[in-house]
Structure formats: structure tokens, C-alpha cells
Amino acid sequence: MNDLTTHPTGEPPKGGELVAAQGPVAVDTFAGRVHVHWNPDAALTPLGQLPFFIDYLKTADLFDPWVEACPMTWTSPNAPNKRDVLGTVMLSILSGHQRYAHINALRSDGVNPELLGMEKIVSEDSVRRAFLKVDEAPAVHWLQNHLLQVTAPLWQIPWVLDIDVTVKTIYGAQEGAMVGYNPHKPGRPSHTYHTYLFSPLRLVLEVEVQDGKKGASKHSAPGLWALLERIPRQCWPALIRGDKDWGTERNMQQAEQRGMAYLFKQRLTKNTQRTIERLLTEASWSNAGSGWQGTETRLRLQGWSRDRRIVVLRRRLQRELMSEQRDRADPQQLRLSFTEVQENFALYEYAVLVTSLEEEIPAIAQLYRDRADAENPFDELKNHWGWGGFTTQDLKRCRLMARTTALIYNWWSLFVRLADPKKH
């Protein structure tokens, strides 16, 4: 008789899974070596993993240089020290805080501040005043240098620089709070966060906070070229990638003059639409992956200094045209009574890419599809980190906190990638 079990145990564990350590784990902190014990019967704490993160910051020599290079200075003997201020800010961001007032919730933490080498958790007012008194230019330079140091060891391999802008809604009377493009809260004042990302690791190279009306690429471009100037030429990205707002003559010409490869989405202008109509009958369409078909041609729009390669992609819509044509108030009635839709009628959506790359169409299409991953850091940084808050009346502190949050986000992202390299 076969030895069968009623409820099989499932698949055996694969190699590489994370397993709980047996016994105490030694951790090197700024307060010396400590041993972490796991208690399966105790309540969970959201900050229980921080001793390991602090060990990472010390071993990688990230936290001490950041504190030492900080340009904050005080003259009062009662003022807090830089380590306490910056340590408080970091613990607040890691705790998911989005308001300076939330810092007070850290006062009960008697473990992690000591492990960071801090004397105490400072008050929210001390943090506000510290960032208010610091000169903006040296503070920006300080944070920019440390943002680049995170990714510097990776510059030797081919990488992609993604450019994008996200909107942060403002509800008070803050500097730079202006009504511009705001898809989530139309008509509300906002700030724009011009962000430059190291793809596909989702690391922030730089972020610039500007007023709500400055969301166009012409306001991002100066920051992009300034960022590249701070990176050695031999370490430049293999490609810069942006949405349809970047497919302008000025942006492409600037990239071409610098010998920088680019891949931008193109607006569907009238001349672009005429090109698509011509390709419908003249071009042969090939498989571009993920349900898309593609073809290519050369195009010179009005205002362009030269003709450029464009890749036209199309994908058949899943929704039937008939359902689009019916009146919502009366589903039995067509909007246009004389419209006749054949059963084999295909409805497509189109996307046009302009690029200096020479790769084949499937590779170009996949490269642009990969750009969608740039939206994930925005979701994390705005909803789970500090980009959705820490708002002050002056724009300077908003800019400094945006870069500080991005830096700590980078540190944490690399830390968890070391634990599980295949998952963000």
C-alpha cells in the first residue's frame, strides 16, 4: 500500500529564501556591537529592523561622512548638534512620517538613537530651524554629492537615466504654491518635483522642487544637463529617456550636441498623424512585443533642424468599437445612427517614439515600456516616504527635505536589495 498523505506539504523550499537566524545576531552600530535576539511571542514593531540598517550605514561608511559634510552651524551653546538633527530626520523619514509634528512620536524610542551615536531626539522646532538657518547653495551641493555617491560604483556598467515630473498638492500659503497641471486635484496649487532616476534600480540621482507652473521639460532640462556635468563623461548613461514633453527640438538638439543617446515619446501633432496615415498603407508592420506592432520612418517636423528616426507603435484595442459608439443614456441607441461597424473592424491606439538609437524596433519598444517603472518610485516616495509632506512656507526647506528623503530612500533601497537582490 502506497504511503499517501491527505494534505501534501506543497513545493519544497527553493534555494535563496530568507530564513530566520538561529540564536542572537551580532550587529555593529555606532554605539558598539550589540546582539539582536528574536522573540516569536513578542508584538511586532515597525522599527525592529533598524539595527541592521544602522549596521549597513556604518559598514558602508554612509552616515558619518554625510553628517560631517553637513554645512549646518550653530553659535548657541544650547543648540543641538548636527548628528542629533540629521539622525532625528532620518528616523522620522524611516518611520513613515510626513509632518514635522510627527517627530515627537520618536521621543519614546530609547534604542535606535543610541545605536546611531546620537545623544537625543531633537524637537520638531529644532529640525525646522536647522534647515531654515542653513545657506541653501552649500546645503544643496552637500546633498547632491551624497546622492551621486550612492550610484557612483554602478556608473561603469551601461545604465539609463529616466526624467520625469510629479506633482505635490499644496493646501496652505507656501512659497511656490501655484496653480498648474495637477491631474489629481485640478485647480489646487502645487509644487513640481523634477526627478532624475537611475534605471532600473529606482535610485534617485537628483530632485528639484519648483513651483506648480513649472512642470514642462524646459524647466527640467537645465537640471538634467547640470547633473550630467557633475558625472564624469566616461560614466554618462547609455540613454536618457522621457515622455512626450521631451520630444522637442531644443531637447533633442542639446542631446545630439553632447553625443547623448535619447528616446522620447512624440506628440501626435497633425504632421505626425499624417505620417501615421501614410504608414497604414505603405509600411509593413512587425511584432514589437507585448501585443504591439511597429514600423519606422524618418520625419522632420516644422521647427526641427533635421529629420530624425521615429518608431510608430500600434496596439489593437480590446474594447469593441460598438460599445464606444453607443449612447450611455440609451445603450440601445448608437450615437451616430448612420455608423456601420463591420465585425472584422480593428481599432488601434498609436504611440510615436523619436530616438537616436539604431536598435531594432522590438528593442526600442521594450526600452520605452521599461520607462513605466519610473512611476513606482514616485508612488513610494509620495505615499510611503516624505515627499507627500514636510511642507514649510519657504521653498528652500522643501527642496532640502526632498533631497534628504531621496537620499535616505536610496540607502534603504540598496539595503533591502542586499537582502533580496531580485526584488525591489
Side-chain angles (χ1 to χ4, degrees):
M1 182 175 178
N2 293 332
D3 184 13
L4 300 177
T5 56
T6 306
H7 300 285
T9 58
E11 295 183 3
K14 299 178 181 179
E17 272 81 4
L18 299 178
V19 294
Q22 300 296 324
V25 179
V27 178
D28 288 323
T29 71
F30 296 99
R33 173 164 290 195
V34 298
H35 292 83
V36 178
H37 296 260
W38 299 100
N39 185 356
D41 299 324
L44 295 176
T45 170
L47 302 179
Q49 72 279 13
L50 283 189
F52 301 97
F53 182 60
I54 293 170
D55 184 357
Y56 162 73
L57 294 179
K58 181 181 179 182
T59 304
D61 197 25
L62 296 173
F63 188 71
D64 276 342
W66 182 55
V67 173
E68 293 170 3
C70 178
M72 293 180 182
T73 57
W74 293 272
T75 57
S76 171
N78 297 323
N81 60 57
K82 292 190 295 185
R83 194 178 196 89
D84 289 348
V85 172
L86 296 179
T88 299
V89 170
M90 188 178 74
L91 291 175
S92 178
I93 292 172
L94 289 172
S95 299
H97 296 169
Q98 297 199 354
R99 301 288 184 272
Y100 285 99
H102 296 165
I103 291 175
N104 292 326
L106 298 173
R107 293 298 184 92
S108 59
D109 189 346
V111 177
N112 292 305
E114 182 179 353
L115 298 182
L116 272 173
M118 300 166 54
E119 296 179 1
K120 61 179 180 179
I121 295 289
V122 302
S123 67
E124 56 173 296
D125 291 330
S126 295
V127 175
R128 283 197 189 96
R129 287 194 294 265
F131 281 104
L132 177 63
K133 293 180 179 179
V134 68
D135 292 335
E136 184 172 6
V140 168
H141 181 71
W142 159 62
L143 290 169
Q144 286 177 338
N145 286 342
H146 285 272
L147 280 168
L148 288 183
Q149 286 176 9
V150 174
T151 56
L154 305 171
W155 291 344
Q156 300 303 323
I157 61 175
W159 58 285
V160 176
L161 195 159
D162 278 322
I163 320 150
D164 210 341
V165 180
T166 189
V167 175
K168 171 184 173 181
T169 304
I170 303 296
Y171 295 95
Q174 278 79 31
E175 178 186 2
M178 304 182 70
V179 178
Y181 173 71
N182 191 342
H184 303 294
K185 297 285 185 179
R188 294 292 311 182
S190 62
H191 287 163
T192 54
Y193 281 51
H194 300 253
T195 311
Y196 314 91
L197 298 166
F198 186 101
S199 177
L201 295 182
R202 304 183 186 177
L203 299 177
V204 180
L205 293 163
E206 168 68 320
V207 55
E208 295 181 301
V209 181
Q210 303 187 36
D211 68 56
K213 288 187 177 295
K214 296 181 178 179
S217 65
K218 65 179 181 180
H219 303 294
S220 298
L224 169 64
W225 309 128
L227 171 64
L228 290 178
E229 290 298 323
R230 297 195 298 273
I231 299 176
R233 182 64 179 86
Q234 65 273 17
C235 300
W236 276 18
L239 174 70
I240 57 175
R241 193 164 53 189
D243 61 12
K244 61 184 178 182
D245 191 47
W246 279 84
T248 65
E249 166 64 19
R250 181 174 181 83
N251 292 331
M252 293 185 289
Q253 190 177 59
Q254 289 283 334
E256 290 162 354
Q257 290 174 355
R258 291 171 169 83
M260 185 75 258
Y262 59 83
L263 175 60
F264 302 139
K265 196 171 185 180
Q266 178 61 42
R267 294 183 185 275
L268 294 180
T269 62
K270 290 184 178 179
N271 287 336
T272 305
Q273 293 178 17
R274 293 191 189 101
T275 301
I276 295 175
E277 292 172 358
R278 175 174 57 83
L279 293 174
L280 288 177
T281 57
E282 298 179 1
S284 59
W285 297 81
S286 59
N287 180 24
S290 300
W292 290 86
Q293 295 177 328
T295 188
E296 65 174 286
T297 187
R298 306 288 297 186
L299 177 65
R300 181 174 179 176
L301 295 177
Q302 185 176 4
W304 285 14
S305 59
R306 46 167 292 190
D307 65 318
R308 294 182 172 92
R309 180 193 183 192
I310 66 166
V311 174
V312 181
L313 303 174
R314 71 178 184 181
R315 178 173 63 180
R316 185 170 182 174
L317 294 178
Q318 299 299 321
R319 185 183 300 176
E320 296 295 336
L321 179 62
M322 182 69 74
S323 62
E324 293 290 326
Q325 294 294 332
R326 292 193 181 279
D327 190 344
R328 293 183 180 179
D330 185 3
Q332 301 301 321
Q333 177 66 41
L334 290 174
R335 292 178 186 173
L336 301 177
S337 58
F338 54 84
T339 300
E340 182 180 359
V341 182
Q342 304 295 329
E343 292 184 0
N344 59 351
F345 189 87
L347 184 64
Y348 289 91
E349 63 172 319
Y350 292 87
V352 180
L353 308 178
V354 57
T355 183
S356 62
L357 297 173
E358 298 180 356
E359 278 72 14
E360 296 181 353
I361 292 176
I364 297 294
Q366 186 58 48
L367 274 172
Y368 194 80
R369 285 195 293 269
D370 291 342
R371 184 191 165 275
D373 189 56
E375 299 297 331
N376 294 315
F378 284 154
D379 175 64
E380 295 174 17
L381 283 160
K382 291 173 66 177
N383 298 324
H384 306 291
W385 294 72
W387 275 12
F390 291 110
T391 304
T392 50
Q393 291 187 347
D394 58 292
L395 199 55
K396 177 184 76 173
R397 282 181 286 181
C398 292
R399 289 169 174 162
L400 297 181
M401 281 301 296
R403 288 185 171 95
T404 301
T405 302
L407 177 63
I408 297 169
Y409 168 83
N410 286 349
W411 288 348
W412 180 262
S413 297
L414 288 175
F415 167 66
V416 296
R417 275 291 179 94
L418 292 173
D420 190 351
K422 297 182 179 180
K423 184 178 181 181
H424 182 74

PDB file of all heavy atoms in Angstrom, residues 23 54 84 92 94 194 227 253 273 300 315 354:
ATOM      1  N   GLY A  23      19.387  31.893  17.061  1.00  0.00           N
ATOM      2  CA  GLY A  23      20.202  32.493  18.098  1.00  0.00           C
ATOM      3  C   GLY A  23      20.415  33.981  17.862  1.00  0.00           C
ATOM      4  O   GLY A  23      19.891  34.570  16.915  1.00  0.00           O
ATOM      5  N   ILE A  54      21.306  50.266  10.521  1.00  0.00           N
ATOM      6  CA  ILE A  54      22.377  51.076  11.102  1.00  0.00           C
ATOM      7  C   ILE A  54      23.727  50.387  10.909  1.00  0.00           C
ATOM      8  O   ILE A  54      24.734  51.040  10.616  1.00  0.00           O
ATOM      9  CB  ILE A  54      22.088  51.339  12.591  1.00  0.00           C
ATOM     10  CG1 ILE A  54      20.840  52.230  12.724  1.00  0.00           C
ATOM     11  CG2 ILE A  54      23.274  51.985  13.288  1.00  0.00           C
ATOM     12  CD1 ILE A  54      20.326  52.364  14.139  1.00  0.00           C
ATOM     13  N   ASP A  84      22.495  64.804  15.975  1.00  0.00           N
ATOM     14  CA  ASP A  84      21.162  64.639  16.553  1.00  0.00           C
ATOM     15  C   ASP A  84      20.079  65.121  15.593  1.00  0.00           C
ATOM     16  O   ASP A  84      19.024  64.491  15.456  1.00  0.00           O
ATOM     17  CB  ASP A  84      21.065  65.390  17.882  1.00  0.00           C
ATOM     18  CG  ASP A  84      21.868  64.732  18.982  1.00  0.00           C
ATOM     19  OD1 ASP A  84      22.301  63.584  18.782  1.00  0.00           O
ATOM     20  OD2 ASP A  84      22.076  65.361  20.040  1.00  0.00           O
ATOM     21  N   SER A  92      12.748  59.821  11.473  1.00  0.00           N
ATOM     22  CA  SER A  92      11.387  60.255  11.166  1.00  0.00           C
ATOM     23  C   SER A  92      10.966  59.796   9.779  1.00  0.00           C
ATOM     24  O   SER A  92       9.859  59.273   9.583  1.00  0.00           O
ATOM     25  CB  SER A  92      11.296  61.780  11.273  1.00  0.00           C
ATOM     26  OG  SER A  92      10.003  62.235  10.937  1.00  0.00           O
ATOM     27  N   LEU A  94      12.246  57.276   8.031  1.00  0.00           N
ATOM     28  CA  LEU A  94      12.140  55.812   8.019  1.00  0.00           C
ATOM     29  C   LEU A  94      10.887  55.328   8.739  1.00  0.00           C
ATOM     30  O   LEU A  94      10.412  54.221   8.480  1.00  0.00           O
ATOM     31  CB  LEU A  94      13.378  55.195   8.666  1.00  0.00           C
ATOM     32  CG  LEU A  94      14.683  55.307   7.870  1.00  0.00           C
ATOM     33  CD1 LEU A  94      15.860  54.836   8.709  1.00  0.00           C
ATOM     34  CD2 LEU A  94      14.600  54.504   6.583  1.00  0.00           C
ATOM     35  N   HIS A 194      10.908  67.721 -10.124  1.00  0.00           N
ATOM     36  CA  HIS A 194      11.620  67.286 -11.323  1.00  0.00           C
ATOM     37  C   HIS A 194      12.673  66.269 -10.892  1.00  0.00           C
ATOM     38  O   HIS A 194      13.629  66.605 -10.190  1.00  0.00           O
ATOM     39  CB  HIS A 194      12.262  68.483 -12.019  1.00  0.00           C
ATOM     40  CG  HIS A 194      11.268  69.527 -12.441  1.00  0.00           C
ATOM     41  ND1 HIS A 194      10.904  69.723 -13.762  1.00  0.00           N
ATOM     42  CD2 HIS A 194      10.542  70.422 -11.721  1.00  0.00           C
ATOM     43  CE1 HIS A 194      10.011  70.687 -13.835  1.00  0.00           C
ATOM     44  NE2 HIS A 194       9.772  71.131 -12.610  1.00  0.00           N
ATOM     45  N   LEU A 227      23.238  68.035 -14.035  1.00  0.00           N
ATOM     46  CA  LEU A 227      23.512  66.742 -13.422  1.00  0.00           C
ATOM     47  C   LEU A 227      24.576  65.982 -14.206  1.00  0.00           C
ATOM     48  O   LEU A 227      25.512  65.406 -13.618  1.00  0.00           O
ATOM     49  CB  LEU A 227      22.221  65.927 -13.347  1.00  0.00           C
ATOM     50  CG  LEU A 227      22.352  64.452 -12.932  1.00  0.00           C
ATOM     51  CD1 LEU A 227      22.888  64.334 -11.515  1.00  0.00           C
ATOM     52  CD2 LEU A 227      21.008  63.734 -13.057  1.00  0.00           C
ATOM     53  N   GLN A 253      18.217  68.527 -29.738  1.00  0.00           N
ATOM     54  CA  GLN A 253      19.427  69.176 -30.230  1.00  0.00           C
ATOM     55  C   GLN A 253      20.498  69.245 -29.143  1.00  0.00           C
ATOM     56  O   GLN A 253      21.676  69.007 -29.405  1.00  0.00           O
ATOM     57  CB  GLN A 253      19.092  70.579 -30.740  1.00  0.00           C
ATOM     58  CG  GLN A 253      20.210  71.249 -31.497  1.00  0.00           C
ATOM     59  CD  GLN A 253      19.805  72.602 -32.031  1.00  0.00           C
ATOM     60  OE1 GLN A 253      19.425  73.481 -31.274  1.00  0.00           O
ATOM     61  NE2 GLN A 253      19.878  72.756 -33.351  1.00  0.00           N
ATOM     62  N   GLN A 273       0.357  62.767 -37.310  1.00  0.00           N
ATOM     63  CA  GLN A 273      -0.804  61.965 -37.658  1.00  0.00           C
ATOM     64  C   GLN A 273      -0.840  61.663 -39.156  1.00  0.00           C
ATOM     65  O   GLN A 273      -1.216  60.555 -39.563  1.00  0.00           O
ATOM     66  CB  GLN A 273      -2.077  62.693 -37.230  1.00  0.00           C
ATOM     67  CG  GLN A 273      -2.234  62.809 -35.721  1.00  0.00           C
ATOM     68  CD  GLN A 273      -3.480  63.589 -35.329  1.00  0.00           C
ATOM     69  OE1 GLN A 273      -4.384  63.778 -36.132  1.00  0.00           O
ATOM     70  NE2 GLN A 273      -3.511  64.045 -34.084  1.00  0.00           N
ATOM     71  N   ARG A 300      10.717  64.876 -40.338  1.00  0.00           N
ATOM     72  CA  ARG A 300      11.187  66.216 -39.976  1.00  0.00           C
ATOM     73  C   ARG A 300       9.975  67.118 -39.819  1.00  0.00           C
ATOM     74  O   ARG A 300       9.341  67.500 -40.794  1.00  0.00           O
ATOM     75  CB  ARG A 300      12.125  66.776 -41.032  1.00  0.00           C
ATOM     76  CG  ARG A 300      12.664  68.168 -40.670  1.00  0.00           C
ATOM     77  CD  ARG A 300      13.715  68.650 -41.651  1.00  0.00           C
ATOM     78  NE  ARG A 300      14.197  69.975 -41.294  1.00  0.00           N
ATOM     79  CZ  ARG A 300      15.188  70.616 -41.936  1.00  0.00           C
ATOM     80  NH1 ARG A 300      15.797  70.023 -42.966  1.00  0.00           N
ATOM     81  NH2 ARG A 300      15.577  71.817 -41.555  1.00  0.00           N
ATOM     82  N   ARG A 315      -1.314  49.202 -31.201  1.00  0.00           N
ATOM     83  CA  ARG A 315      -1.846  48.052 -30.471  1.00  0.00           C
ATOM     84  C   ARG A 315      -3.355  48.025 -30.639  1.00  0.00           C
ATOM     85  O   ARG A 315      -4.024  49.049 -30.466  1.00  0.00           O
ATOM     86  CB  ARG A 315      -1.483  48.148 -28.986  1.00  0.00           C
ATOM     87  CG  ARG A 315      -2.042  47.012 -28.139  1.00  0.00           C
ATOM     88  CD  ARG A 315      -1.510  47.082 -26.714  1.00  0.00           C
ATOM     89  NE  ARG A 315      -1.927  48.309 -26.049  1.00  0.00           N
ATOM     90  CZ  ARG A 315      -1.602  48.623 -24.787  1.00  0.00           C
ATOM     91  NH1 ARG A 315      -0.830  47.793 -24.096  1.00  0.00           N
ATOM     92  NH2 ARG A 315      -2.009  49.752 -24.247  1.00  0.00           N
ATOM     93  N   VAL A 354      10.570  59.027 -30.826  1.00  0.00           N
ATOM     94  CA  VAL A 354      11.660  59.626 -31.582  1.00  0.00           C
ATOM     95  C   VAL A 354      12.955  59.287 -30.852  1.00  0.00           C
ATOM     96  O   VAL A 354      13.041  59.405 -29.631  1.00  0.00           O
ATOM     97  CB  VAL A 354      11.472  61.153 -31.721  1.00  0.00           C
ATOM     98  CG1 VAL A 354      11.354  61.837 -30.373  1.00  0.00           C
ATOM     99  CG2 VAL A 354      12.617  61.762 -32.525  1.00  0.00           C
TER     100      VAL A 354
END
